[in-house]
Amino acid sequence: MTKEEIFAIVEEEDVEFIRLQFTDIFGTLKNIAITASQLEDALENKILFDGSSVKGFAPIEDSDLYLHPDLSTFCIFPWRPQQGKVARFICDIYRADGSIFGADPRAVLLDACKRAKDAGLNIFIEAECEFFLLNTDDSGEISLKVKEKASYFDIGPLDMSENIRRDIVLNLEDMGINIKASHHEIAKAQHEIDFTNQDALSCADAIQTFRMAVKTLAKRHGLSASFMPKPFGNENGSGMHFKILILDKDGNNLLEEDKKLSKKAGAAIAGILHHACAVSLINNPLVNSYKRLKPGFDAPVYVSWSSNSNRSTLLRITGERNNQIRLELRSPDSATNPYLCIAMLVYSILEGIEKNLALEEAVNENMYSNEITNIRKLPSTLKEAIEEFKNSHFVKEKLGTHIFREYLSAKENEWDEFNNAITDWEIKKYLERY
């Protein structure tokens, strides 16, 4: 939309407040709210904020940052009042001198997309987003005491939250996000909503919008939404699977040749697998993330790929929509920063194709059934992921020194905090026995 069209909509729809949204390096959505009277300043990129107050952003001596709204992301929140409506823009971040702020995760993804386009690649992604809808206790805190016992594809009354899911889907579509499907997932109180095909940047924007909508609408229904990867020990965790389509500048599918997997597809897969361990700290950013990456819980353990529908591998080939070949990446979880996660995915694909990396043999059998010794494993703890991340020149180069340093420091501190914490498991296991 043009600025003139946005001004007209704000006036016609009685929009009173506008949120200027951005994302920190850990994937948390932030915003500054302005009144409609300040819209002109916002569209002229004059809204300033203190970058030193956002963890991992700017030092206090160089903290003035400006929000540049992306006009294509303008939308009105459908769940807000019909009088005095609230709208939003997703913003890019710039320095006072007009240069791009390199610690903005969206800027990292924008650069990755530009490099892909310069290489003649257009990368499209369908995201499959999983989450939990949980009860709250009398004090308003999230509770793991779940009454619902529904499982995969169950319907009401077993699925006690299908109306909430319906409300989320309708609100997202009102905001311009096209939904492919929604359903109950395998674990109790777990749900999935899938987006239709969209370019890589739009996909990341949609994920951030989705998270905000899910949490807001769950509260309105008296529940709390959580994107914690694995809140229940003996249940599946929440993943964020990406189905990837790569087209050339003429719209041809680069992943297939004579209805078979192309050489470029093999190189792209090789690139993803080559850097899978190094980017695990981004794809799976929490101590809790590695409780999901265990055998038998519908999540990958080995750095492997499958040429068929084998869901035990990290990456598999899917045949959908007129048998059009796509890749499905299954390792990221629900807590990942989508901008950094998708940026690293794009860069891995680019490096694989540019260097024509050799593809290892496919694994088409269930990888959970036997112990496998000749294939690399993904990191099994946050500590292992930190070491892989720390030693990767690829990750440091693509993220930029600032994000790399700040992200690494925060995750090292998180691991130290975890190691110093006394868990409920330890109390139950040892307190009376010793």
Side-chain angles (χ1 to χ4, degrees):
M1 284 186 285
T2 65
K3 292 180 181 180
E4 291 73 21
E5 288 171 331
I6 290 170
F7 278 118
I9 292 171
V10 167
E11 184 174 354
E12 291 169 8
E13 296 289 335
D14 187 29
V15 174
E16 193 168 315
F17 292 95
I18 299 159
R19 294 186 181 181
L20 305 178
Q21 298 181 330
F22 61 96
T23 297
D24 71 12
I25 66 174
F26 307 107
T28 303
L29 190 65
K30 308 282 189 179
N31 77 214
I32 293 174
I34 62 171
T35 62
S37 64
Q38 301 301 306
L39 177 59
E40 186 170 355
D41 280 353
L43 296 184
E44 291 181 1
N45 307 322
K46 293 181 179 179
I47 302 299
L48 173 75
F49 76 98
D50 174 12
S52 68
S53 297
V54 180
K55 186 177 179 181
F57 262 29
I60 196 167
E61 68 273 14
D62 185 24
S63 57
D64 285 347
L65 299 174
Y66 288 84
L67 295 170
H68 287 211
D70 181 337
L71 303 191
S72 71
T73 66
F74 176 80
C75 65
I76 296 171
F77 293 157
W79 57 79
R80 299 293 291 181
Q82 291 305 298
Q83 291 184 336
K85 294 178 181 179
V86 180
R88 76 91 194 266
F89 293 98
I90 293 176
C91 301
D92 298 311
I93 303 174
Y94 283 73
R95 295 185 179 277
D97 63 5
S99 61
I100 295 173
F101 179 57
D104 174 13
R106 197 170 190 261
V108 177
L109 179 53
L110 277 165
D111 183 66
C113 292
K114 180 182 182 301
R115 292 174 186 266
K117 191 171 184 179
D118 290 345
L121 306 180
N122 292 301
I123 298 176
F124 295 87
I125 297 173
E126 289 182 2
E128 299 178 351
C129 304
E130 297 172 354
F131 58 98
F132 287 89
L133 290 176
L134 303 170
N135 298 318
T136 53
D137 59 25
D138 293 338
S139 63
E141 299 293 325
I142 299 180
S143 172
L144 293 179
K145 295 180 179 179
V146 176
K147 296 179 181 179
E148 187 208 73
K149 303 299 181 185
S151 187
Y152 210 34
F153 297 148
D154 277 342
I155 61 174
L158 277 175
D159 178 4
M160 300 171 67
S161 298
E162 62 181 6
N163 286 336
I164 304 176
R165 214 167 50 240
R166 175 181 175 273
D167 196 18
I168 292 168
V169 168
L170 291 175
N171 275 272
L172 288 172
E173 291 202 321
D174 280 347
M175 297 174 75
I177 297 173
N178 294 321
I179 302 302
K180 179 180 176 182
S182 68
H183 58 84
H184 198 284
E185 255 296 335
I186 294 174
K188 59 187 179 185
Q190 187 184 35
H191 305 267
E192 176 176 314
I193 295 177
D194 304 338
F195 304 155
T196 57
N197 203 44
Q198 54 196 322
D199 67 83
L201 180 65
S202 297
C203 182
D205 287 341
I207 290 169
Q208 290 298 77
T209 303
F210 160 80
R211 286 171 168 170
M212 173 187 62
V214 168
K215 283 185 171 289
T216 300
L217 294 166
K219 283 288 185 187
R220 293 199 165 207
H221 285 271
L223 298 180
S224 291
S226 178
F227 293 93
M228 178 180 175
K230 189 161 180 171
F232 301 105
N234 293 319
E235 301 271 5
N236 282 16
S238 289
M240 186 174 292
H241 303 157
F242 295 127
K243 289 183 178 176
I244 306 150
L245 179 64
I246 307 174
L247 304 180
D248 65 17
K249 60 183 180 180
D250 297 319
N252 300 310
N253 188 352
L254 282 179
L255 298 177
E256 62 182 60
E257 188 174 3
D258 297 328
K259 297 185 178 181
K260 295 181 180 180
L261 200 67
S262 68
K263 291 181 179 179
K264 285 190 175 180
I269 295 169
I272 295 170
L273 297 182
H274 183 71
H275 295 294
C277 292
V279 302
S280 184
L281 192 63
I282 295 171
N283 293 349
N284 313 105
L286 310 180
V287 168
N288 180 255
S289 295
Y290 296 88
K291 307 294 176 70
R292 167 180 168 261
L293 301 177
K294 303 296 181 185
F297 288 104
D298 201 34
V301 177
Y302 296 93
V303 181
S304 57
W305 75 284
S306 168
S307 60
N308 61 14
S309 59
N310 180 11
R311 284 178 162 81
S312 67
T313 56
L314 183 145
L315 190 146
R316 71 187 186 101
I317 308 302
T318 69
E320 298 184 24
R321 297 179 182 174
N322 301 319
N323 295 318
Q324 190 173 51
I325 290 177
R326 294 167 184 251
L327 313 179
E328 182 182 353
L329 180 65
R330 298 179 59 79
S331 57
D333 65 43
S334 55
T336 187
N337 181 333
Y339 295 107
L340 297 184
C341 179
I342 295 175
M344 292 299 102
L345 171 61
V346 172
Y347 279 126
S348 297
I349 289 170
L350 279 174
E351 182 173 282
I353 292 175
E354 289 168 357
K355 294 185 177 180
N356 194 26
L357 295 181
L359 181 61
E360 58 200 51
E361 188 176 347
V363 179
N364 291 329
E365 65 268 13
N366 185 353
M367 300 192 74
Y368 303 148
S369 58
N370 297 299
E371 179 68 22
I372 298 171
T373 58
N374 61 337
I375 298 178
R376 281 187 303 153
K377 278 188 172 182
L378 287 169
S380 60
T381 65
L382 188 72
K383 176 63 174 176
E384 291 180 15
I386 287 170
E387 293 304 313
E388 293 281 356
F389 182 93
K390 184 190 298 187
N391 295 320
S392 172
H393 175 73
F394 169 83
V395 171
K396 184 175 183 179
E397 178 190 5
K398 302 309 181 187
L399 287 182
T401 302
H402 180 89
I403 291 182
F404 179 85
R405 182 181 65 244
E406 294 291 333
Y407 194 90
L408 177 61
S409 174
K411 293 304 165 182
E412 287 177 329
N413 290 337
E414 186 173 339
W415 180 250
D416 288 342
E417 288 177 20
F418 172 69
N419 276 337
N420 291 329
I422 307 303
T423 65
D424 289 343
W425 182 90
E426 291 170 277
I427 296 298
K428 291 177 181 178
K429 185 78 172 178
Y430 305 129
L431 191 61
E432 290 187 7
R433 181 173 297 184
Y434 295 95

